[in-house]
Amino acid sequence: MKSYPMIAVLAIVIAVLLLLDKYRPDVLLYQTECETIDSMRVYAFAVGKEKAKVTSGKTDRYEAEALGVGKVLLYILRDSTRTRPQTGDTLITRTRIRRGGHIRRFDYGLYLRRQGITGTVYAGEYVLKTGNKRDEPSLQERLYKRLEASGLRGDELATTGALTLGYKEDLDPLLRRRFQASGAAHVLAVSGLHTGILYGLLIAILTLGGRLKPMHEDRTGRWLLSCVLIAAMWGYAWLTGMTPSVVRCVVMVTMVEIGKMIYRHSPTLNTIAAAAVLILIVRPMDLWSVSFQLSFAATAAIVIVARDAEFKLHRLEWENSLPGKMLSWIAGTILISIAAQLGTIPITMYLFGQVSNYFLLTNLIVLPLASLLVPCGLASVALGGSGLGQLIGYLTSGLAWMMNHAVGWIERLPGSSSAVVISLPMVGLLYGAIVMGWLTIHKSLWWLTGVIAAIITFCILYTL
């Protein structure tokens, strides 16, 4: 019987945070109180860096700060006749600060407060004072320019920048919606998929495709390999702006490599729970982050559901042939896609009220392209505008073009997405049915009665 002590620790940490949120929310929330909230006044905002373009495509969004107000999200109507604010400018406007309402089940105002943001501001007419000091381009922006120098343009450049660097500022809102409707939005967010591709690529390079396996038996070699992998993964996290999703994955990779260094291969679920505990201790409000919930739910589901079934596939004799390997890869991709969907679908239905119906088809097309596009994109960044860089940039542009057109084709298929809105108890019923379904396969058929009861109850609640 395997023991998972870190899962128990994680449950205790989550319980403590939930109790604090209920009875002492001020302990967890940033101080974002503002006396002038929802009142029309004149504000002077110090403009920060531009954030990703909003879905409507008609406004630009900036981080800004005002005395006595704190941080806000500043929305400005895109107008070619007016000078766009830049970092260091001061924007003076008469407006009101709003907390942000609910987006379906999602409390956007509370989400902003947990990020230390007071609210949102729309600036119609404004006066712009140019700052004396402009910030230098960020590391991501400089690397994005190198990607552009390799020959990428338009949507292909924007998609590659999002996949490899986490730079989404140039993503067209229509293209973003296509990725969302087709079930490929996770590809645009640098997360476990991208870090996993890089991690596997680094292992293949450092071990010469597995030919240096004796290194694992040598303590010095094992330590050296793990230290290089950990340093490289944290370096990639730094290049992508230390986004929370990447940091979570790199923390898990670090724990796995530390376990290998001391020859203690902890169960994967234990590693996932330990990473979650570490992150919640450092950043407790991540518990309410949608990306935190989705990434850990998907990872845990893949480990629990897909790994066991994939192991059985690898035992089939026909896998030794080339057609067998291809079939095994397709079956493995399908299993991982189903497992990730099972782990995240209750959360996505509750928060976003939408389900992608062709997620299997999307992943069968997008995952292989992403596995090629990420290393090609990083090579384009490294080589820049050199002759070899231009050649790899041409290949990268072709891969990004195929991905963009694939998600566009899937998004245009009839019934590509469905609107499904559920309540919090129904989320619990779905997860209960999933867990009991796993127990039915591995423990006893008696658990099937629980699955049936949970599904019937869910259907009754959904029709009410």
Side-chain angles (χ1 to χ4, degrees):
M1 175 74 69
K2 291 182 179 179
S3 62
Y4 300 95
M6 290 309 302
I7 294 180
V9 175
L10 176 61
I12 294 171
V13 170
I14 292 175
V16 170
L17 290 176
L18 290 176
L19 287 172
L20 284 174
D21 182 63
K22 182 173 179 61
Y23 297 106
R24 292 290 305 276
D26 54 304
V27 175
L28 296 175
L29 291 176
Y30 289 101
Q31 295 301 317
T32 56
E33 297 299 330
C34 175
E35 294 181 359
T36 60
I37 205 83
D38 282 330
S39 59
M40 186 70 74
R41 296 200 178 188
V42 176
Y43 296 95
F45 295 104
V47 180
K49 291 187 179 295
E50 183 181 3
K51 297 179 74 68
K53 294 179 178 62
V54 295
T55 308
S56 67
K58 298 179 181 179
T59 60
D60 295 322
R61 183 174 65 179
Y62 298 83
E63 290 180 343
E65 194 166 353
L67 184 64
V69 174
K71 293 181 181 179
V72 297
L73 292 182
L74 180 64
Y75 292 86
I76 300 173
L77 185 67
R78 192 172 294 123
D79 188 349
S80 58
T81 63
R82 292 194 295 187
T83 304
R84 292 179 60 182
Q86 297 186 35
T87 303
D89 292 349
T90 300
L91 186 144
I92 302 172
T93 182
R94 179 175 174 80
T95 186
R96 68 180 74 222
I97 301 169
R98 300 188 182 276
R99 279 289 188 201
H102 286 73
I103 304 173
R104 294 189 178 93
R105 305 277 183 176
F106 183 59
D107 191 338
Y108 185 57
L110 185 59
Y111 167 78
L112 292 178
R113 291 192 65 191
R114 283 177 173 146
Q115 289 190 316
I117 298 172
T118 303
T120 60
V121 173
Y122 175 78
E125 298 296 326
Y126 59 85
V127 176
L128 194 64
K129 291 187 176 181
T130 305
N132 296 324
K133 182 181 178 182
R134 299 289 178 90
D135 287 354
E136 292 294 324
S138 66
L139 176 62
Q140 275 185 309
E141 291 169 338
R142 294 198 298 270
L143 294 176
Y144 189 74
K145 290 295 182 183
R146 290 184 62 84
L147 197 60
E148 188 176 11
S150 69
L152 277 82
R153 297 290 184 273
D155 286 342
E156 288 72 39
L157 172 63
T159 300
T160 307
L163 260 74
T164 56
L165 303 173
Y167 187 86
K168 302 180 185 178
E169 278 70 10
D170 283 348
L171 270 176
D172 184 79
L174 179 59
L175 181 61
R176 191 190 295 262
R177 283 200 296 272
R178 286 175 181 169
F179 272 84
Q180 291 171 346
S182 63
H186 63 284
V187 175
L188 292 178
V190 179
S191 58
L193 171 65
H194 309 75
T195 52
I197 291 170
L198 181 61
Y199 180 60
L201 182 64
L202 286 172
I203 291 177
I205 293 172
L206 294 173
T207 62
L208 299 180
R211 292 182 176 85
L212 295 181
K213 285 186 179 179
M215 180 182 287
H216 294 255
E217 301 172 5
D218 175 54
R219 183 174 291 273
T220 304
R222 177 66 261 174
W223 275 66
L224 180 62
L225 180 62
S226 293
C227 287
V228 171
L229 286 169
I230 291 171
M233 296 307 296
W234 280 107
Y236 180 63
W238 177 61
L239 290 179
T240 56
M242 297 293 284
T243 57
S245 56
V246 175
V247 170
R248 290 176 202 126
C249 299
V250 175
V251 166
M252 282 191 272
V253 168
T254 302
M255 289 184 170
V256 169
E257 287 302 319
I258 290 174
K260 290 179 180 178
M261 289 167 70
I262 59 177
Y263 291 91
R264 291 188 179 180
H265 298 273
S266 174
T268 312
L269 277 179
N270 229 26
T271 306
I272 295 170
V277 168
L278 182 61
I279 291 167
L280 291 177
I281 289 173
V282 177
R283 298 172 48 129
M285 281 181 287
D286 270 13
L287 178 62
W288 291 272
S289 167
V290 177
S291 62
F292 178 90
Q293 296 168 9
L294 291 176
S295 62
F296 277 102
T299 306
I302 289 170
V303 169
I304 294 171
V305 178
R307 282 286 178 88
D308 183 51
E310 197 173 6
F311 172 74
K312 293 177 181 178
L313 281 174
H314 282 308
R315 297 180 65 181
L316 296 176
E317 294 181 359
W318 48 259
E319 197 204 23
N320 295 324
S321 63
L322 181 59
K325 288 181 179 180
M326 292 181 64
L327 287 172
S328 180
W329 177 85
I330 293 172
T333 303
I334 292 173
L335 284 170
I336 290 173
S337 301
I338 292 174
Q341 194 76 359
L342 283 173
T344 59
I345 197 169
I347 298 174
T348 55
M349 285 195 297
Y350 175 70
L351 293 177
F352 308 117
Q354 181 174 311
V355 178
S356 300
N357 296 322
Y358 300 123
F359 67 92
L360 280 179
L361 177 62
T362 300
N363 286 326
L364 282 173
I365 297 173
V366 168
L367 291 183
L369 289 173
S371 300
L372 296 172
L373 187 55
V374 170
C376 286
L378 291 173
S380 299
V381 171
L383 297 170
S386 64
L388 184 57
Q390 293 280 342
L391 180 62
I392 296 179
Y394 181 77
L395 174 62
T396 305
S397 180
L399 291 169
W401 181 88
M402 285 191 286
M403 179 177 288
N404 290 341
H405 281 72
V407 297
W409 171 69
I410 294 171
E411 186 263 342
R412 290 191 296 271
L413 290 175
S416 59
S417 61
S418 301
V420 182
V421 181
I422 64 174
S423 62
L424 191 59
M426 294 164 75
V427 173
L429 285 170
L430 283 179
Y431 276 121
I434 292 168
V435 171
M436 287 185 288
W438 185 86
L439 290 172
T440 301
I441 297 171
H442 290 80
K443 300 296 181 182
S444 171
L445 284 175
W446 286 107
W447 287 103
L448 185 60
T449 58
V451 176
I452 297 170
I455 292 175
I456 291 174
T457 308
F458 176 88
C459 293
I460 292 171
L461 292 176
Y462 188 75
T463 54
L464 290 178

